[in-house]
Every structure is written in C-alpha cells, then in structure tokens.
Amino acid sequence: MEIQHTDDGKKGQFRAVEGDTEAGIMTYVWAGEDKFIIEHTVGNPEFKGVGIKLLDKAVAFAREKNVKIIPLCPFAKKMFDRKEEIRDVLA
C-alpha cells in the first residue's frame, strides 16, 4: 500500500492506494503556519487498519515540519485519545 501526500499550502490530503484501488483518504486544512486541522478520514472497509496508517503518515509529516495537529475528525480524535505516543504533535 502506498500513501500519497498532496498539499497546496491551504489544504492537503493523505491518500492510501493499493494498485488501482483507493484504500482511504484523510483530509486537512492549515490553521496558520504552525498547525493543521484533520477534518475527515474515510477508509475502504476492505482495507482494515488503513485509518491508522493515514494518521501515522500525518503524525510523521507534523513531526518533520515541526507543526501541530488539531483533530476535528472523530476518528483522529479517538486515536489521539487512545495513543499517548502521538500526542507530542497534538495542538
């Protein structure tokens, strides 16, 4: 599975693809220069665990850019509540 990242400076997405099939997508918008808001996560039910893979990519991106994440998406919020090891990027 490949996770593709696009960002136009205002919004972006992490998109998981397996061959020609979209496995999941996580969208975000920038909130200033130092944080972004995860708005929505959708996973294809055929790909178990794809949401976590997308979130892991978002967390790695936040760490790389030294920015914080605001998880408005219910899935992302639940994962931040559950996984203490990713809270270093929580806004």
Side-chain angles (χ1 to χ4, degrees), residues 18-88:
E18 180 84 42
D20 293 334
T21 306
E22 184 169 280
I25 189 164
M26 176 177 281
T27 61
Y28 66 88
V29 294
W30 284 98
E33 295 180 13
D34 62 345
K35 52 184 156 297
F36 63 91
I37 300 166
I38 296 177
E39 294 183 304
H40 197 56
T41 306
V42 178
N44 181 331
E46 294 177 32
F47 295 90
K48 197 93 173 133
V50 71
I52 266 300
K53 290 178 181 171
L54 292 166
L55 183 61
D56 287 346
K57 198 70 154 176
V59 167
F61 172 69
R63 288 176 178 152
E64 177 187 320
K65 297 292 183 188
N66 198 27
V67 298
K68 299 291 183 182
I69 296 174
I70 301 168
L72 288 188
C73 159
F75 168 77
K77 170 134 183 41
K78 181 169 50 171
M79 291 301 107
F80 272 101
D81 289 346
R82 228 182 249 179
K83 296 172 64 104
E84 192 173 326
E85 66 272 18
I86 64 173
R87 290 189 203 143
D88 60 301

